[in-house]
């Protein structure tokens, strides 16, 4: 979701980007604000990538523990 934070602001962090991703047992969300719409999108993408990497690491570790038992 991409939106302006308000219609009357002309400067500052006026663009908001929200990206959500539903995964098994978890929902990941990235919410970013920026002066430029493209910057907000890039920041949200980078945040979501980081969250996905954390999820994958936790998921792999959990599966390794289950297989070791």
């Amino acid at each position: 979701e991409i939106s302006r934070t308000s219609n009357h602001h002309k400067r500052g962090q006026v663009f908001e980007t929200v990206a959500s991703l539903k995964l098994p047992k978890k929902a990941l969300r990235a919410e970013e604000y920026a002066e430029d719409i493209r910057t907000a999108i890039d920041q949200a993408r980078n945040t979501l990538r980081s969250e996905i990497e954390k999820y994958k690491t936790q998921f792999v570790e959990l599966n390794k523990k289950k297989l070791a038992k």
Side-chain angles (χ1 to χ4, degrees):
E1 179 178 322
I2 302 168
S3 63
R4 289 181 61 103
T5 55
S6 68
N7 290 330
H8 66 279
H9 287 103
K10 303 293 183 205
R11 288 187 231 136
Q13 296 182 341
V14 297
F15 291 102
E16 173 186 26
T17 302
V18 178
S20 299
L21 180 63
K22 293 181 183 178
L23 298 171
K25 299 184 180 182
K26 192 157 189 165
L28 304 179
R29 179 178 170 97
E31 187 173 328
E32 296 293 336
Y33 299 88
E35 293 180 16
D36 179 55
I37 194 166
R38 289 175 183 87
T39 304
I41 293 169
D42 289 343
Q43 290 174 350
R45 181 190 64 212
N46 293 339
T47 302
L48 198 57
R49 277 186 183 166
S50 175
E51 292 296 318
I52 290 169
E53 287 299 320
K54 288 179 194 176
Y55 175 81
K56 284 169 56 174
T57 302
Q58 291 172 354
F59 192 73
V60 168
E61 291 298 321
L62 183 64
N63 283 339
K64 282 182 182 179
K65 288 179 182 178
K66 284 183 179 178
L67 291 174
K69 288 183 180 181

